[in-house]
């Protein structure tokens, strides 16, 4: 990076729409500011991004919706929030826009700012065009300058596109790094239960996880369970006195995964945290039946969990929709226990090496290249 760019006053518009985006945004902002202390950030984010100086235009939780039906039910509110944010950006005249994940919210902002201010536009985390709706790529070419990808398999989907695709890997691979001693110290019968970061996920899958835990405890009293909830209020969603047989904690999922031998996890970034922590997990995915019926014919992937997609094979057991039952979860836990631990160690080492590709620092160099 040139000395000119190091000293130049730069205003960056940046938007994350959910917790995983905020987790990416915080380190990126820290890296950008380390390269240029004069940078000003405007936009939307959560606690990690706020800690780096972002005064969020509105509460990030307001746009943290998932699936197909939930965004439709909140469409009027989401459109109003996006319109207000667009107007704010127009008045502030930033130098570049960075959308972090949440493509249904962020891509229209990129398009608007490209057409209105001719801004450079970056999407940090590719839309899941590698899984479905690949046709979006063609329209994205009209307004998207660069996509920073987290996973190597994403580049294939853009092989015929004019968009600048730049693989930066995942910052979690830099953050989570266990040695052999830590891996070997994990208690044999310890299981982490991660029902998700959104209330809707916890409601859909939390009770099934607890039912499976109860049944496993009956089969072998030596099983120990740990549930690191992302929000203290989620504890009230469960009818049972789960704390009588589950060690409940809050906002410490990574620490729990580093210490547990196995896990049962709602599909998402947590499955990646689990693999990088050398903790094999059963991966669950469940949505409303209507959403699933709409999505299923459009899917073009063999797996839905990130570790399996990176490895290109079924390293972890996956349970989808109707197969998400206590019985199937128990079968999957047993299948993990029967596998040689060296198998998982080798697979997870491969994932760690693949994703440790530069992260926020590499993304920073690309963003300054676009600003030059």
């Amino acid at each position: 990076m040139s000395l000119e760019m190091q000293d130049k006053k730069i205003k960056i518009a940046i938007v994350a729409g959910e917790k995983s985006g905020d987790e990416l945004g915080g380190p990126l902002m820290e890296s950008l500011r380390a390269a240029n202390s004069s940078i000003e950030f405007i936009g939307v984010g959560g606690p990690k991004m706020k800690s780096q100086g972002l005064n969020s235009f509105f509460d990030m939780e307001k746009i943290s919706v998932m699936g197909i039906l939930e965004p439709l039910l909140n469409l009027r509110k989401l459109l109003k929030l996006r319109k207000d944010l667009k107007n704010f950006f127009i008045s502030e005249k930033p130098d570049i826009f960075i959308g972090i994940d949440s493509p249904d919210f962020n891509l229209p902002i990129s398009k608007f700012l490209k057409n209105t201010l001719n801004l450079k536009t970056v999407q940090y985390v590719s839309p899941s065009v590698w899984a479905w709706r690949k046709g979006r790529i063609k329209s994205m070419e009209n307004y998207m300058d660069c996509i920073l990808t987290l996973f190597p398999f994403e580049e294939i989907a853009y092989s015929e596109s004019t968009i600048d695709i730049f693989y930066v890997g995942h910052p979690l691979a830099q953050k989570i790094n266990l040695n052999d001693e830590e891996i070997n110290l994990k208690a044999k019968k310890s299981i982490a239960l991660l029902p998700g970061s959104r209330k809707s996920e916890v409601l859909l899958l939390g009770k099934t996880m607890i039912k499976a835990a109860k049944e496993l405890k009956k089969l072998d009293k030596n099983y120990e369970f740990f549930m690191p909830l992302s929000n203290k209020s989620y504890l009230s969603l469960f009818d049972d006195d789960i704390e009588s047989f589950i060690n409940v904690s809050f906002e410490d999922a990574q620490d729990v995964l580093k210490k547990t031998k196995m896990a049962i996890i709602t599909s998402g970034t947590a499955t990646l945290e689990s693999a990088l922590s050398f903790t094999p997990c059963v991966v669950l995915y469940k949505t409303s039946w209507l959403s699933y019926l709409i999505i299923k014919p459009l899917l073009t992937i063999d797996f839905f969990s990130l570790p399996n997609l990176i490895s290109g094979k079924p390293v972890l057991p996956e349970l989808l929709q109707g197969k998400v039952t206590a019985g199937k979860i128990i079968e999957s836990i047993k299948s993990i226990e029967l596998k040689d631990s060296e198998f998982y160690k080798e697979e997870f080492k491969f994932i760690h090496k693949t994703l440790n590709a530069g992260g926020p620092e590499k993304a920073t160099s690309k963003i300054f290249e676009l600003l030059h």
Side-chain angles (χ1 to χ4, degrees):
M1 185 177 64
S2 67
L3 287 172
E4 179 194 353
M5 290 304 292
Q6 286 176 345
D7 299 330
K8 186 180 178 183
K9 285 193 175 295
I10 299 168
K11 186 182 288 187
I12 295 179
I14 188 166
V15 175
E18 55 186 306
K19 186 183 176 185
S20 59
D22 182 54
E23 294 278 352
L24 290 168
L28 176 64
M29 289 168 65
E30 184 179 14
S31 176
L32 285 162
R33 180 157 282 137
N36 182 332
S37 59
S38 299
I39 286 179
E40 178 187 354
F41 294 104
I42 58 171
V44 178
K48 300 284 186 187
M49 293 167 69
K50 288 176 183 176
S51 72
Q52 295 301 322
L54 179 70
N55 182 16
S56 191
F57 185 65
F58 53 73
D59 187 346
M60 184 184 74
E61 294 298 317
K62 291 181 178 180
I63 55 173
S64 183
V65 293
M66 63 176 292
I68 290 178
L69 295 181
E70 196 176 342
L72 287 175
L73 292 171
N74 293 278
L75 187 60
R76 182 176 290 183
K77 181 181 77 174
L78 291 170
L79 290 175
K80 174 70 165 61
L81 288 168
R82 191 161 64 197
K83 183 182 178 184
D84 291 346
L85 186 58
K86 285 177 180 177
N87 290 335
F88 171 66
F89 286 153
I90 289 294
S91 66
E92 288 288 322
K93 294 183 173 53
D95 297 293
I96 193 168
F97 173 69
I98 304 170
I100 307 178
D101 210 352
S102 303
D104 291 331
F105 188 86
N106 278 327
L107 291 184
I109 294 176
S110 287
K111 184 177 182 179
F112 174 78
L113 293 176
K114 173 61 74 177
N115 292 337
T116 311
L117 297 177
N118 196 28
L119 279 195
K120 292 287 185 180
T121 57
V122 177
Q123 178 68 16
Y124 188 16
V125 183
S126 169
S128 49
V129 290
W130 42 269
W132 71 313
R133 292 172 66 193
K134 190 176 178 179
R136 284 184 289 177
I137 294 175
K138 211 67 194 162
S139 61
M140 285 162 58
E141 289 176 353
N142 297 320
Y143 58 85
M144 186 58 60
D145 290 297
C146 178
I147 295 178
L148 304 173
T149 62
L150 304 184
F151 308 109
F153 58 80
E154 295 175 298
E155 291 181 280
I156 300 166
Y158 294 94
S159 59
E160 297 176 8
S161 174
T162 58
I163 302 172
D164 187 1
I165 305 302
F166 195 67
Y167 175 55
V168 299
H170 204 293
L172 281 173
Q174 295 176 309
K175 186 177 180 182
I176 305 172
N177 198 4
L178 271 67
N179 57 45
D180 285 342
E181 186 182 356
E182 290 173 301
I183 296 165
N184 295 332
L185 279 173
K186 291 169 178 263
K188 192 176 180 183
K189 293 285 184 178
S190 55
I191 300 178
L193 309 173
L194 278 72
S197 60
R198 301 181 184 96
K199 184 178 178 180
S200 54
E201 291 174 320
V202 178
L203 286 168
L204 265 176
L205 296 164
K207 290 178 182 178
T208 308
M209 286 186 183
I210 291 167
K211 186 178 178 183
K214 279 184 174 178
E215 293 300 317
L216 282 165
K217 194 77 172 175
K218 285 178 188 175
L219 292 170
D220 188 337
K221 61 179 174 49
N222 292 313
Y223 280 114
E224 262 195 299
F225 298 97
F226 300 82
M227 183 179 275
L229 293 170
S230 61
N231 191 309
K232 285 188 178 182
S233 66
Y234 291 168
L235 189 57
S236 64
L237 301 175
F238 304 111
D239 300 327
D240 301 307
D241 179 19
I242 63 169
E243 291 179 282
S244 63
F245 73 103
I246 294 174
N247 298 286
V248 178
S249 57
F250 305 98
E251 299 180 40
D252 61 345
Q254 282 183 24
D255 291 334
V256 169
L257 286 169
K258 286 175 185 176
K259 294 171 185 173
T260 45
K261 191 75 174 177
M262 297 172 286
I264 304 165
I265 302 180
T266 297
S267 183
T269 306
T271 62
L272 194 60
E273 292 175 314
S274 193
L276 293 170
S277 301
F278 289 81
T279 305
C281 63
V282 183
V283 186
L284 314 181
Y285 181 83
K286 192 174 185 180
T287 186
S288 71
W289 277 107
L290 184 54
S291 290
Y292 182 65
L293 287 172
I294 295 168
I295 294 169
K296 189 171 183 267
L298 305 173
L299 293 176
T300 58
I301 48 174
D302 297 321
F303 314 108
F304 62 84
S305 67
L306 292 171
N308 287 354
L309 285 163
I310 295 163
S311 296
K313 56 188 174 185
V315 174
L316 301 174
E318 299 180 344
L319 298 176
L320 178 64
Q321 211 61 13
K323 290 186 178 178
V324 179
T325 65
K328 291 286 185 186
I329 291 172
I330 292 166
E331 284 177 23
S332 299
I333 285 289
K334 293 297 181 185
S335 75
I336 288 173
E337 289 180 313
L338 288 170
K339 265 194 175 151
D340 184 355
S341 60
E342 285 301 313
F343 165 79
Y344 288 114
K345 194 178 284 189
E346 289 306 309
E347 292 295 337
F348 295 156
K349 279 182 180 177
F350 169 77
I351 290 171
H352 194 282
K353 185 178 179 182
T354 301
L355 296 182
N356 199 3
E361 290 75 24
K362 192 173 178 182
T364 292
S365 69
K366 188 65 178 180
I367 290 164
F368 277 111
E369 181 186 311
L370 290 166
L371 280 165
H372 192 66

